[in-house]
Amino acid sequence: MEIIHLSAECYPIAKVGGLGDVVGALPKYQNKLGHVAKVVMPAYQNKFIQENEFEVVYDGWGKLGFHNFTVKIFREKTNKLGFDLYLVHIAGLLDREMVYGYDDDTERFLAYQIAVLDWMAQWEHRPDVIHCHDHHTGLVPFMVAYCHQFKSLSHIPTVLTIHNAQYQGQFGWDKLHYIPTFDLWKSGQLDWKGAINPLAAAIKCAWRVTTVSPSYLDEISFKANGLEDLLAQERSKSFGILNGIDNEVWNPQTDPMLEKKFTLRTVDAGKQANKEALCKVFNLDPEKPLFTFIGRLVGEKGADLLPDIFYNALITHNGEINVLVLGSGDPQVEGRLWQLKEAFPGNYNVYIGYNEHLSHQIYAGADFLLMPSRVEPCGLNQMYALRYGTIPIVRRVGGLKDTVIDIGDGGFGICHDQSSVWDVGHAIGRAYDLYQNAKEVKEIRKFIMQLDHSWDKAAQQYIDLYQI
């Protein structure tokens, strides 16, 4: 079976969030199952492109409304990621440093989708499945089904995976002419509440729809940023498949980013060595429990609560805990988190920005990882934490509910029900008490490091889905 994955992100080429991690791993594991999975994504102007070898496999042009654009598609030569990687280069639109955040993102990702389908329409063979990830590729199922110039692709099944339903890519009807010609009576497939909505169009037109955890599939039926009714209508073709993690990348026994690698047998010494290295850099005490947060500093992650959560926790525990934050996002949240450094020197620190190397070190050296999310379609951070023997403190929502069981229920994590300063503070208090019991912490660490959240199972579930 040949599967073409279309995505705006793919680790390690370009990663903003969990989408990049998923697309960077799922195709590799599908290939290991004996299939042929490929990734086609935009060619951003970044370090990966500058440092690797590519060959041109397509040189053509496309049309976006009344404007023509030139297209080159590059293939990475060495198959270093474990799957064929193709990058779509469109000068002036895609060749930028950032993935998102430009005023013309609508035009950028529409041109990308059109270019990919123009290229595929010229293939001598047809893939078995086109797998679209999030709204940046959401118009592909519609265009494959209804646009005249892609009629030769219309029999190919399309699958949509919703990584986060909060982001939908809506734009006005004044840009309808960007989409290649189709019978206008099909315009209703594009519409949701008065706008062209790529995510809604994909939900309507895709052959199958998946979410990145079973619980998130249930949750978006009542919390999907306006798509609730549509998702209810299309529930019969929708499935929740829990994401996995790439155990080859996230492996404390082989991870080159760690101060000291460790195994199940050496977990305590290994975590202590990594903790000491972290604490030396960030002026913290390695003898105290280390609480951490890694991620985007945005409302859906509960990041706006973090300054008050950490202030109260540091006051309550009177210098007996450490806190380290890695993330970026809302400038106001960034500023408030930065200000805490002055109030709690030696017990608190923050790194504003994205740092893959540091994130691995924190997973390895931390005692606890906080995820007070309001929305968490799957969550990968808690799985990384478990793999490295770090106990997660999570809200019971989405994939967090599917992957973390509270110690009070015979499990291995600490869970709370609300994204509130009080609830998270109470959870931190429970974690602090747990830390005093070294024997129990040691047992939990060894248990959680053996949990299997690899992609093997999920990759097979997707293959089974394609064949339904």
Side-chain angles (χ1 to χ4, degrees):
M1 176 174 284
E2 182 179 4
I3 307 119
I4 307 299
H5 290 274
L6 305 183
S7 173
E9 300 177 35
C10 176
Y11 177 82
I13 304 95
K15 170 186 168 180
V16 176
L19 169 61
D21 285 325
V22 171
V23 179
L26 174 57
K28 178 169 70 174
Y29 283 81
Q30 289 179 329
N31 283 345
K32 289 182 177 181
L33 292 172
H35 302 278
V36 178
K38 304 174 180 178
V39 171
V40 187
M41 65 176 294
Y44 307 111
Q45 189 61 40
N46 62 21
K47 187 176 179 181
F48 185 90
I49 291 179
Q50 295 164 0
E51 294 182 350
N52 290 276
E53 291 187 48
F54 297 87
E55 62 180 352
V56 178
V57 297
Y58 177 75
D59 192 345
W61 63 277
K63 190 173 183 182
L64 187 68
F66 307 118
H67 303 284
N68 294 333
F69 57 84
T70 58
V71 181
K72 287 185 187 293
I73 296 181
F74 303 100
R75 185 180 74 86
E76 192 270 316
K77 282 187 174 182
T78 65
N79 199 251
K80 69 184 296 182
L81 302 182
F83 53 83
D84 282 339
L85 171 69
Y86 297 88
L87 302 180
V88 181
H89 179 270
I90 302 176
L93 282 177
L94 298 180
D95 55 345
R96 305 179 191 175
E97 291 185 9
M98 294 193 302
V99 178
Y100 315 120
Y102 298 100
D103 291 339
D104 60 349
D105 276 355
T106 295
E107 288 77 8
R108 294 173 67 230
F109 291 110
L110 249 173
Y112 153 66
Q113 294 171 82
I114 292 169
V116 171
L117 294 181
D118 279 336
W119 174 48
M120 290 179 60
Q122 297 183 32
W123 292 7
E124 293 182 0
H125 74 287
R126 296 288 177 258
D128 295 288
V129 176
I130 301 174
H131 192 146
C132 304
H133 295 267
D134 271 352
H135 74 82
H136 323 97
T137 61
L139 291 175
V140 166
F142 174 85
M143 291 193 288
V144 165
Y146 301 118
C147 288
H148 303 316
Q149 72 191 60
F150 305 129
K151 187 175 181 180
S152 64
L153 306 176
S154 61
H155 69 284
I156 303 173
T158 54
V159 173
L160 167 72
T161 292
I162 302 173
H163 296 261
N164 194 330
Q166 300 301 305
Y167 304 101
Q168 301 169 12
Q170 304 98 316
F171 57 93
W173 286 96
D174 58 313
K175 296 182 179 180
L176 176 64
H177 64 289
Y178 288 162
I179 300 173
T181 56
F182 62 93
D183 294 333
L184 288 177
W185 63 275
K186 295 291 187 182
S187 297
Q189 299 282 40
L190 298 170
D191 178 73
W192 192 252
K193 298 188 176 179
I196 296 174
N197 187 312
L199 189 63
I203 293 168
K204 294 177 185 180
C205 299
W207 179 69
R208 293 286 184 267
V209 176
T210 74
T211 62
V212 291
S213 72
S215 288
Y216 188 56
L217 179 61
D218 294 332
E219 288 170 10
I220 57 176
S221 65
F222 56 86
K223 190 174 183 181
N225 198 14
L227 294 180
E228 295 83 0
D229 291 344
L230 175 60
L231 287 159
Q233 293 169 21
E234 303 291 351
R235 182 63 184 257
S236 63
K237 69 176 184 183
S238 302
F239 302 83
I241 298 177
L242 184 69
N243 281 343
I245 62 173
D246 189 339
N247 279 351
E248 295 176 8
V249 174
W250 297 93
N251 184 350
Q253 190 171 352
T254 59
D255 193 336
M257 302 184 193
L258 304 190
E259 178 72 18
K260 182 180 178 64
K261 302 178 182 67
F262 57 92
T263 66
L264 195 64
R265 185 175 59 82
T266 61
V267 55
D268 292 324
K271 286 191 70 67
Q272 186 62 28
N274 284 286
K275 184 177 182 180
E276 288 174 0
L278 270 179
C279 290
K280 183 176 180 180
V281 172
F282 290 99
N283 187 33
L284 302 171
D285 184 350
E287 298 306 315
K288 296 171 181 174
L290 177 57
F291 292 82
T292 57
F293 174 92
I294 301 172
R296 292 182 294 124
L297 301 176
V298 295
E300 68 184 52
K301 300 294 184 183
D304 54 303
L305 305 173
L306 292 177
D308 290 332
I309 288 169
F310 291 141
Y311 179 85
N312 289 350
L314 288 160
I315 289 291
T316 299
H317 295 284
N318 194 25
E320 291 304 310
I321 66 171
N322 289 328
V323 174
L324 178 59
V325 178
L326 167 61
S328 63
D330 185 328
Q332 186 175 0
V333 175
E334 290 180 358
R336 292 186 64 204
L337 288 170
W338 191 263
Q339 289 172 3
L340 288 179
K341 289 176 66 173
E342 298 178 5
F344 301 99
N347 290 103
Y348 171 91
N349 216 322
V350 60
Y351 180 104
I352 300 297
Y354 169 77
N355 189 318
E356 187 75 18
H357 192 276
L358 179 58
S359 72
H360 283 243
Q361 293 177 320
I362 293 175
Y363 288 120
D367 297 299
F368 301 99
L369 176 82
L370 276 73
M371 297 182 70
S373 305
R374 292 186 176 92
V375 178
E376 197 62 71
C378 175
L380 296 174
N381 289 11
Q382 81 279 13
M383 298 188 209
Y384 301 147
L386 294 167
R387 180 84 165 136
Y388 285 68
T390 294
I391 299 171
I393 301 173
V394 306
R395 182 180 170 223
R396 291 185 180 95
V397 63
L400 300 178
K401 184 165 67 173
D402 292 331
T403 53
V404 181
I405 301 170
D406 191 89
I407 55 174
D409 298 322
F412 46 82
I414 295 177
C415 304
H416 55 93
D417 291 317
Q418 302 298 326
S419 286
S420 70
V421 173
W422 187 91
D423 253 34
V424 182
H426 179 68
I428 290 173
R430 292 179 62 205
Y432 177 79
D433 292 340
L434 172 64
Y435 187 80
Q436 310 311 309
N437 188 335
K439 182 180 178 182
E440 186 174 2
V441 169
K442 186 172 184 176
E443 290 173 352
I444 290 174
R445 283 176 175 171
K446 289 190 173 183
F447 178 80
I448 62 181
M449 285 181 66
Q450 297 180 77
L451 293 172
D452 183 12
H453 288 297
S454 71
W455 267 109
D456 297 294
K457 180 180 178 182
Q460 183 61 56
Q461 287 179 307
Y462 277 109
I463 297 298
D464 293 343
L465 176 74
Y466 302 151
Q467 297 174 334
I468 292 176

